[in-house]
């Protein structure tokens, strides 16, 4: 006989220090991702390099977009948790695809890798 099923998500938030630590790392990762993406975008503007543009977009999709989506969707909508996770994971996947394309894509000879 199988015992009772347990929920996969904890509903209790924990102590204030734990909540602040989660919030701090959440904000720092989103901000750092935007700073790195800004540098990549500046590289695109300076050199007109399409790979740098894809790199910048990928970093934003990998770091900042999932953080904002997760916060917004879980706070302001009634979406089930699995849809929030699927949405944020989808943004991360698009970010990884953009970064991979910036590294391995076929671009003009003067724009990056062949």
């Amino acid at each position: 006989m199988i015992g009772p099923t347990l929920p996969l998500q904890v509903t209790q938030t924990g102590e204030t220090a734990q909540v602040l630590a989660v919030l701090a790392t959440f904000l720092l990762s989103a901000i750092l991702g935007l700073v790195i993406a800004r540098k990549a975008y500046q590289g695109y503007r300076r050199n007109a390099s399409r790979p740098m543009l894809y790199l910048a977009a990928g970093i934003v999709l990998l770091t900042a977009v999932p953080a904002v989506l997760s916060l917004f969707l879980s706070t302001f909508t009634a979406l089930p948790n699995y849809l929030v996770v699927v949405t944020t994971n989808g943004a991360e996947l698009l970010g990884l695809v953009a970064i991979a394309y910036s590294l391995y894509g076929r671009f003009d000879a003067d724009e990056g890798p062949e």
Side-chain angles (χ1 to χ4, degrees), residues 37-47 52:
R38 182 173 180 252
K39 286 304 243 183
Y41 182 73
Q42 287 173 341
Y44 160 72
R45 296 282 304 212
R46 181 175 41 253
N47 301 317
M52 290 300 285

Side-chain angles (χ1 to χ4, degrees), residues 80-99:
N81 288 335
Y82 79 92
L83 284 178
V84 174
V85 171
V86 166
T87 304
T88 57
N89 286 351
E92 291 174 351
L93 180 62
L94 288 174
L96 289 171
V97 167
I99 291 171

Side-chain angles (χ1 to χ4, degrees), residues 6-27:
L6 299 174
L8 295 177
Q9 184 170 2
V10 177
T11 56
Q12 187 175 3
T13 58
E15 296 181 19
T16 304
Q18 293 171 336
V19 173
L20 289 176
V22 169
L23 182 61
T25 56
F26 173 82
L27 290 174

Side-chain angles (χ1 to χ4, degrees), residues 61-74:
L61 285 168
L62 189 61
T63 57
V65 170
V68 171
L69 279 176
S70 176
L71 180 65
F72 178 80
L73 293 176
S74 62

